[in-house]
């Protein structure tokens, strides 16, 4: 029974893994991909580690540490990537459209 | 651990390795640095997960500890790199 449960958790994790990364190949925006990726990577990885926990209950401290660090770090990395990439895009827009020599009424 | 579970874990490790190829292709294809960062972040999480699966398969917990360290250090390194890229964009 434990092994069926463990195999099921590992399978769910793999499905999440493939689903998340397949959105990388599309042509959507960075933030859309980032959302898909961080959700699927985090949940998929935690599901796989829970499956591993069923197999080796003796090693629960280390696997629990892996789950906690995954939850913290993946979430933080997703936030940092989102904030940094959107700032970078904003800066590019400012540089492109702000023309210091442009005078109001100067239609040329 | 029964041989059936060893086979299941072996198949899972191979499948995980294949799922790493997708972000590698995406990183190679994309010119935008942020899309590349996304792909690399996914590769780092998945590779640390493969290390953890290997440590369960071999029942060797030194490998397990290195897998957990990879989770933290990999993501932390990408956070620093993201800030550097942002600063470079501003300069």
């Amino acid at each position: 029974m434990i092994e069926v449960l463990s195999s099921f958790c590992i399978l769910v994790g793999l499905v999440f893994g493939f689903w998340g990364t397949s959105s990388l190949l599309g042509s959507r925006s960075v933030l859309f991909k980032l959302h898909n990726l961080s959700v699927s990577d985090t949940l998929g990885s935690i599901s796989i580690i829970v499956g591993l926990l069923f197999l080796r209950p003796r090693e629960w401290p280390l696997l629990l540490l892996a789950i906690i660090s995954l939850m913290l770090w993946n979430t933080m990395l997703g936030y940092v990537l989102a904030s940094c990439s959107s700032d970078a895009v904003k800066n590019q827009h400012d540089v492109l459209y702000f023309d210091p020599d442009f005078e109001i009424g100067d239609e040329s | 651990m029964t041989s059936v579970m060893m086979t299941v874990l072996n198949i899972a490790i191979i499948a995980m390795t294949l799922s790493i190829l997708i972000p590698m292709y995406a990183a190679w294809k994309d010119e935008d640095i942020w899309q590349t960062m996304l792909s690399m972040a996914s590769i780092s999480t998945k590779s640390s997960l493969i290390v953890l699966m290997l440590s369960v398969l071999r029942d060797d917990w030194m490998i397990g500890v290195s897998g957990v360290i990879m989770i933290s250090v990999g993501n932390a390194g990408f956070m620093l790199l993201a800030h550097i890229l942002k600063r470079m964009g501003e300069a």
Side-chain angles (χ1 to χ4, degrees), chain A residues 12-57:
Chain A
V12 165
L14 286 174
V15 167
F16 264 116
F18 276 100
W19 168 67
T21 36
S22 61
S23 72
L24 266 179
L25 300 178
S27 58
R28 302 292 293 264
S29 73
V30 174
L31 294 182
F32 177 84
K33 290 182 182 179
L34 177 63
H35 173 67
N36 268 1
L37 209 58
S38 54
V39 166
S40 72
D41 262 358
T42 309
L43 293 184
S45 307
I46 288 174
S47 164
I48 286 178
I49 294 178
V50 165
L52 298 179
L53 205 53
F54 285 135
L55 287 180
R56 296 275 186 219

Side-chain angles (χ1 to χ4, degrees), chain A residues 3 33 41 56 58-59, chain B residues 2 35 46 56 59 61:
Chain A
E3 290 180 352
K33 290 182 182 179
D41 262 358
R56 296 275 186 219
R58 185 188 73 232
E59 298 302 334
Chain B
T2 61
Q35 310 256 2
K46 285 186 167 48
V56 168
D59 201 12
W61 291 96

Side-chain angles (χ1 to χ4, degrees), chain A residues 4-100:
Chain A
V4 171
L5 208 55
S6 158
S7 307
F8 176 72
C9 286
I10 291 174
L11 184 66
V12 165
L14 286 174
V15 167
F16 264 116
F18 276 100
W19 168 67
T21 36
S22 61
S23 72
L24 266 179
L25 300 178
S27 58
R28 302 292 293 264
S29 73
V30 174
L31 294 182
F32 177 84
K33 290 182 182 179
L34 177 63
H35 173 67
N36 268 1
L37 209 58
S38 54
V39 166
S40 72
D41 262 358
T42 309
L43 293 184
S45 307
I46 288 174
S47 164
I48 286 178
I49 294 178
V50 165
L52 298 179
L53 205 53
F54 285 135
L55 287 180
R56 296 275 186 219
R58 185 188 73 232
E59 298 302 334
W60 67 268
L62 186 69
L63 293 173
L64 197 61
L65 177 65
I67 288 176
I68 291 169
S69 63
L70 254 170
M71 279 194 294
L72 291 177
W73 283 109
N74 260 9
T75 317
M76 273 194 281
L77 179 60
Y79 171 75
V80 167
L81 279 179
S83 72
C84 287
S85 64
S86 51
D87 279 1
V89 169
K90 189 171 64 61
N91 291 338
Q92 281 170 7
H93 279 302
D94 290 352
V95 168
L96 280 176
Y97 295 110
F98 175 72
D99 180 1

